Amino acid sequence: MASKQEKVLTGTNPKAFVDGLHIVSDETTADGMRSTIVVLWDIRFDPMFVPPEMVDVKTSEVDGEKQTFHRVMNSICIPTYMKHLYPNRIFFQNLTEKREPWTHSDWGANPDHTYLEVDGKVPTEQEIFSIIHNFHTPLLGKIKFRIIEDDGSESYGWYQGIEANGSSIRKLPEGWSRHTSRRAEHNGLYFYKKDDVSQWDFPEV
């Protein structure tokens, strides 16, 4: 029986992750997948939101000069020797963020879909983690990913993003915008606004 190792994603709003991160990796699954990653999301909360008191801004003396350091929400540093693990990072980031020409793509948006590849590309395990951990972007659905070994050989796994309330990531109707509440009782909870109207529920057309 495969053992289950639990990791907790840090550096982001914990309310967006209902039950942390679980990796099952000791045994190959029945369909030949070597690893399974399961993340339980609550997409009512902004995963990028960090309460104001957690913002890391400090001034220190470095080499005789005072330097100010700021918390950066979206960043990734990929050493040269690891670049082969991120061959399509920008492609999948653009796909996730629905940039042109992927404006109407549902990749990573529907918890009930299985996503095998896009334009012949399959994300690596590291690219999956860069989307959800480095760029704080929810991924829903069952997504096939590549595992690249040190010797260059490859195997595959499943990422499974489940939405706690059974919702999909939907595009807002025209005129509506989404905002993050900073009130103490619901820090990071999304609300929706159009002109002078604001509401908690996702706006219907």
Side-chain angles (χ1 to χ4, degrees):
M1 185 171 179
S3 65
K4 180 179 287 188
Q5 179 184 4
E6 180 174 321
K7 294 183 181 179
V8 177
L9 288 170
T10 57
T12 190
N13 179 11
K15 291 182 179 180
F17 300 102
V18 180
D19 196 23
L21 174 72
H22 302 275
I23 302 177
V24 181
S25 58
D26 285 355
E27 290 184 3
T28 303
T29 62
D31 56 3
M33 297 299 183
R34 201 194 101 185
S35 176
T36 303
I37 300 171
V38 179
V39 179
L40 184 59
W41 294 90
D42 189 340
I43 62 172
R44 296 176 304 170
F45 288 92
D46 180 358
M48 286 185 62
F49 179 80
V50 177
E53 64 270 17
M54 291 180 64
V55 175
D56 183 16
V57 179
K58 62 182 180 180
T59 301
S60 302
E61 191 168 300
V62 179
D63 296 332
E65 294 184 7
K66 284 191 174 181
Q67 303 284 337
T68 300
F69 298 87
H70 302 273
R71 181 187 182 95
V72 177
M73 290 306 300
N74 297 318
S75 65
I76 186 170
C77 179
I78 304 172
T80 302
Y81 70 91
M82 293 182 66
K83 285 191 174 180
H84 68 288
L85 301 175
Y86 299 85
N88 299 299
R89 188 192 69 79
I90 294 178
F91 172 85
F92 281 105
Q93 190 66 45
N94 289 342
L95 187 64
T96 305
E97 294 176 1
K98 306 296 182 277
R99 296 182 182 176
E100 292 289 349
W102 308 107
T103 306
H104 302 291
S105 169
D106 77 341
W107 190 87
N110 190 326
D112 299 319
H113 282 196
T114 297
Y115 304 97
L116 298 176
E117 60 180 47
V118 182
D119 278 5
K121 298 179 177 68
V122 175
T124 64
E125 183 177 14
Q126 289 78 13
E127 288 167 340
I128 291 286
F129 275 98
S130 76
I131 291 170
I132 64 176
H133 182 68
N134 297 88
F135 292 90
H136 311 279
T137 307
L139 278 182
L140 301 180
K142 191 173 182 179
I143 300 172
K144 181 180 180 180
F145 66 85
R146 296 162 56 202
I147 302 169
I148 302 176
E149 308 292 352
D150 291 340
D151 62 4
S153 62
E154 293 189 8
S155 55
Y156 293 90
W158 286 120
Y159 165 89
Q160 180 74 62
I162 302 170
E163 211 290 310
N165 297 286
S167 301
S168 299
I169 300 172
R170 294 178 286 172
K171 188 174 182 179
L172 285 170
E174 187 174 351
W176 286 90
S177 57
R178 185 169 61 175
H179 305 267
T180 305
S181 173
R182 291 185 173 271
R183 292 180 61 177
E185 62 267 34
H186 40 63
N187 269 353
L189 183 64
Y190 283 126
F191 68 94
Y192 304 92
K193 188 173 182 180
K194 182 178 182 181
D195 300 326
D196 295 330
V197 176
S198 61
Q199 61 188 50
W200 291 116
D201 294 333
F202 190 91
E204 300 298 334
V205 179

